[in-house]
Amino acid sequence: MKRVVIVGASISGLATAEALRRNGHEGPIALVGAEPEAPYDRPPLSKQVLTGQWEPKELDLRSPAELDALELDLRLGVRATGLDISRRTVSLGDGATLDYDALVVATGVRARRLPGTERIIGVHTLRTLSDALALKERLCPGRRLVIVGAGFVGAEVAAAAHGLGVEVTLLEAGPVPLALAVGEAAGRFLTDVHHEHGVLVRVGASVREVVQERGQVTGVRLADGAVLPADDVLVAIGSIANTEWLADSGLSVQDGLVCDEYSAAAPGVYGVGDVARWHNPLFDTAMRVEHRTNAAEQGMAVARNLLNPEARRPFAPVPYFWSDQYDVKVQAYGHLRDHDEALVLETTTEGPQLLVAYRKADRLVGVLAAGASPKILRAWRAVIADRAPWAAALNRTNAA
Ligand SMILES: Cc1cc2nc3c(=O)[nH]c(=O)nc-3n(C[C@H](O)[C@H](O)[C@H](O)COP(=O)(O)OP(=O)(O)OC[C@H]3O[C@@H](n4cnc5c(N)ncnc54)[C@H](O)[C@@H]3O)c2cc1C
């Protein structure tokens, strides 16, 4: 294996490149990224960047010297526009063509927008550093921010903005925020945390339109006709996988690049991070995971398999994520979506603390803790990785 091209210069692409070098790959590696910045970390965008605790420089994933040491053909501010898998070439927006022996697709996702709102001043999405800096500038005491979508990004921004003295309203179309992702109990618990801090969470609120005056947002009109006045609106309604450049490649794209259990999409082509929908044999299901840790781990796993194909191993992680809202840390292991039961094991408002175990068929598939010590979760992670049956899993974790 000689030339590796990695498209997407964020955590999953960088982790792939680093692991290739660490494991002995001496051939050329091209790392192509559409954003102009050197690889930076996204989780702080909705947390420390908005609150002003961190300067943009602190997001850098590596120093210039560390990047230099990787000896990459680093092409930033350039977009991949096409892929020919029979010729093994990637075309770039600047007219260049890169040949590869192995291609790693690490193009992540972008924020979904509300159609027709792209040009309205004061309507934001949050995916990039420039998005975060533009939003941060507007978060001044007394201003009114309406957040459309009470998922993790919306909820984290609500917490950060509230701390800055902004009047925040969080809108959720469904009956319980985050219910699809983490179940109703955890969704209710987190909603209560917002209410306790004085952030209004309106459920069953579907947006009819964003109201504007001379190109500046003035509010959000709901389906029932009510208008919520706003100086700014954050649209946080999920993401779209960046796969358009693969459209004529013949690769299978279904809400992400479809990959097998080795993260391979075709001979010599791999998907890593948020863009990859791969088959996770541990849960025997295809999944696309938008979590920071998974993105790095999948990059490392692909690099190992690329360099040692005879000993290649399926990528079968127990996915992990965290979220910070006010002083509550939420952490979860496993595959929480599509669960059959979410069992609340511990709940108290002192702290506050919540522990939920997730069952699918007869198996423990996930666990979530809010406000609890991270140590509690480690024992659970091992039990999920062991594919333990539900009853036995609950016994083992009680004993731990
Ligand atoms: C505000 C925010 C908060 C988050 N908080 C958390 C958290 O608390 N915990 C957690 O676990 N996860 C969190 N995440 C998710 C985490 O940041 C992602 O899982 C991680 O960034 C995924 O990395 P990635 O490399 O797969 O993709 P991305 O980070 O999306 O990077 C993909 C890169 O590819 C580039 N690209 C796209 N198309 C092309 C193209 N055609 N050519 C070249 N380059 C291209 C993009 O510009 C981008 O730079 C958060 C995300 C956001 C946005």
Side-chain angles (χ1 to χ4, degrees):
M1 204 257 309
K2 299 181 197 87
R3 295 155 303 178
V4 181
V5 171
I6 303 170
V7 182
S10 183
I11 181 63
S12 63
L14 178 66
T16 312
E18 285 185 328
L20 283 169
R21 290 291 185 234
R22 209 167 40 243
N23 291 299
H25 177 66
E26 290 176 353
I29 303 176
L31 181 61
V32 181
E35 291 180 82
E37 295 89 359
Y40 64 89
D41 215 10
R42 278 178 225 284
L45 296 178
S46 49
K47 309 173 184 74
Q48 294 89 342
V49 172
L50 288 188
T51 56
Q53 285 164 284
W54 287 15
E55 291 299 319
K57 266 267 131 263
E58 293 178 77
L59 269 57
D60 286 351
L61 285 165
R62 299 294 176 263
S63 67
E66 287 167 329
L67 286 177
D68 283 350
L70 292 172
E71 296 187 9
L72 303 173
D73 172 8
L74 185 58
R75 297 175 185 230
L76 297 175
V78 186
R79 193 167 274 284
T81 50
L83 167 65
D84 185 330
I85 52 172
S86 56
R87 292 207 169 101
R88 297 204 168 202
T89 57
V90 174
S91 346
L92 305 185
D94 61 4
T97 302
L98 298 176
D99 298 330
Y100 66 82
D101 297 298
L103 169 68
V104 179
V105 175
T107 43
V109 301
R110 61 183 181 277
R112 188 181 290 279
R113 294 172 182 274
L114 278 176
T117 62
E118 289 84 354
R119 289 170 189 277
I120 304 176
I121 297 164
V123 176
H124 308 260
T125 53
L126 181 55
R127 183 74 198 172
T128 65
L129 178 59
S130 60
D131 293 339
L133 295 177
L135 179 60
K136 176 179 187 285
E137 212 166 83
R138 311 274 296 191
L139 299 180
C140 305
R143 289 180 73 101
R144 296 158 305 177
L145 173 68
V146 173
I147 301 176
V148 181
F152 280 108
V153 169
E156 289 185 355
V157 173
H162 174 76
L164 295 168
V166 176
E167 232 177 80
V168 183
T169 306
L170 194 49
L171 300 181
E172 165 60 37
V176 181
L178 291 165
L180 276 181
V182 296
E184 291 197 359
R188 285 215 174 83
F189 179 91
L190 290 169
T191 306
D192 288 347
V193 172
H194 285 283
H195 282 151
E196 279 154 25
H197 282 82
V199 166
L200 180 64
V201 184
R202 283 184 72 151
V203 297
S206 45
V207 171
R208 188 189 294 167
E209 62 168 342
V210 169
V211 188
Q212 56 161 314
E213 242 176 67
R214 288 189 291 275
Q216 161 72 50
V217 69
T218 56
V220 171
R221 181 171 286 115
L222 301 179
D224 64 8
V227 175
L228 307 174
D231 301 302
D232 288 277
V233 171
L234 173 70
V235 178
I237 53 173
S239 61
I240 300 173
N242 291 320
T243 50
E244 289 76 4
W245 66 285
L246 302 171
D248 299 326
S249 67
L251 294 176
S252 174
V253 169
Q254 288 164 35
D255 179 28
L257 175 63
V258 176
C259 300
D260 66 12
E261 67 267 42
Y262 301 99
S263 307
V269 182
Y270 301 83
V272 294
D274 285 14
V275 74
R277 173 173 296 284
W278 93 105
H279 185 85
N280 184 338
L282 183 59
F283 299 91
D284 195 23
T285 189
M287 54 177 75
R288 190 171 69 72
V289 170
E290 293 187 26
H291 303 332
R292 163 72 166 75
T293 310
N294 190 72
E297 288 176 356
Q298 196 164 19
M300 291 189 268
V302 161
R304 280 192 302 269
N305 284 348
L306 268 177
L307 293 175
N308 201 354
E310 293 78 32
R312 69 180 189 155
R313 282 194 311 225
F315 182 56
V318 177
Y320 164 79
F321 78 84
W322 81 96
S323 170
D324 296 315
Q325 296 169 37
Y326 311 98
D327 52 355
V328 177
K329 189 173 242 352
V330 180
Q331 296 187 85
Y333 281 108
H335 184 54
L336 277 46
R337 266 177 204 276
D338 308 326
H339 56 265
D340 295 327
E341 179 184 356
L343 180 68
V344 177
L345 295 168
E346 194 181 326
T347 180
T348 153
T349 43
E350 281 166 44
Q353 284 198 0
L354 176 77
L355 187 63
V356 186
Y358 297 82
R359 178 181 64 78
K360 175 87 180 168
D362 184 36
R363 238 185 95 184
L364 172 75
V365 288
V367 63
L368 175 144
S373 150
K375 275 194 219 143
I376 297 177
L377 282 192
R378 274 182 221 128
W380 285 85
R381 187 201 165 283
V383 180
I384 297 166
D386 281 354
R387 304 166 193 250
W390 177 246
L394 295 184
N395 283 339
R396 266 177 66 184
T397 42
N398 277 341

